[in-house]
């Protein structure tokens, strides 16, 4: 009887352990959900990384220009983070508000809040940025 109780207790313990370890907390904001992802225009001349840090570098961009890389962060271009929810975030840049909206798992839409100037960014493997950085120097 005690052996059976021990076996049942052990099985119960295993069930609880595995069910808890497989419970994954769902992200609540776009920056959290898309943390450390890479996006690019279809032309492949700019690469945008998203970070879960709305108080600092929440986005950085690598542009190919004149056979070298121009690197920009929100602070280097005087952009500021304004708002986010699960599928979008808004930044103020160049006296305009820009919204980044997650269309689906592979497409991010970037447009002015007031409309127009829409472009689409496509999710890329992070290794692509490593290749870019290995093959080009930074512009000075």
């Amino acid at each position: 009887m005690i052996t059976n109780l021990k076996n049942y207790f052990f099985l119960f313990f295993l069930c609880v352990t595995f069910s808890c370890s497989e419970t994954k907390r769902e992200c609540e904001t776009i920056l959290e959900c898309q943390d450390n992802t890479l996006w690019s225009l279809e032309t492949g001349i700019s690469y945008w990384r998203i970070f879960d840090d709305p108080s600092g570098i929440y986005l950085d961009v690598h542009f190919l220009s004149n056979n070298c890389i121009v690197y920009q962060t929100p602070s280097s271009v005087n952009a500021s983070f304004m708002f986010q929810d699960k599928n979008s975030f808004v930044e103020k840049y160049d006296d305009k508000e820009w919204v980044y909206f997650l269309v689906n798992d592979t497409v991010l839409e970037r447009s002015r809040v007031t409309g127009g100037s829409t472009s689409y960014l496509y999710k890329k493997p992070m290794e692509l940025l490593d290749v870019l950085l290995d093959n080009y120097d930074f512009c000075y």
Side-chain angles (χ1 to χ4, degrees):
M1 175 83 168
I2 292 180
T3 304
N4 284 342
L5 276 173
K6 285 182 181 180
N7 287 339
Y8 288 123
F9 180 78
F10 180 71
L11 287 174
F12 175 76
F13 177 77
L14 284 178
C15 289
V16 169
T17 302
F18 285 112
S19 66
C20 289
S21 66
E22 291 189 24
T23 302
K24 198 160 98 176
R25 188 177 73 82
E26 189 172 322
C27 55
E28 296 176 9
T29 65
I30 189 171
L31 297 184
E32 183 183 356
C33 295
Q34 299 301 317
D35 188 32
N36 208 26
T37 56
L38 183 66
W39 302 83
S40 178
L41 293 170
E42 207 165 12
T43 59
I45 60 170
S46 62
Y47 296 86
W48 309 59
R49 275 189 306 185
I50 295 176
F51 300 98
D52 187 21
D53 185 7
S55 63
I57 298 176
Y58 55 89
L59 181 72
D60 70 1
V61 184
H62 294 80
F63 290 100
L64 287 176
S65 175
N66 296 324
N67 217 20
C68 60
I69 299 171
V70 175
Y71 178 69
Q72 295 178 339
T73 65
S75 60
S76 69
V77 296
N78 203 26
S80 58
F81 181 83
M82 298 183 68
F83 167 82
Q84 71 173 318
D85 61 21
K86 186 159 183 168
N87 295 311
S88 64
F89 71 91
V90 177
E91 73 171 345
K92 187 170 187 171
Y93 169 66
D94 199 21
D95 291 325
K96 298 171 184 80
E97 292 178 358
W98 294 89
V99 63
Y100 295 78
F101 176 76
L102 190 61
V103 176
N104 60 39
D105 289 342
T106 61
V107 178
L108 186 68
E109 178 182 282
R110 177 183 185 262
S111 61
R112 290 197 30 210
V113 171
T114 57
S117 300
T118 300
S119 58
Y120 293 93
L121 302 164
Y122 301 91
K123 193 178 236 180
K124 302 293 182 182
M126 191 59 80
E127 296 79 25
L128 187 59
L129 184 60
D130 294 334
V131 171
L132 181 77
L133 295 174
D134 286 344
N135 289 306
Y136 293 93
D137 292 325
F138 285 95
C139 302
Y140 296 102

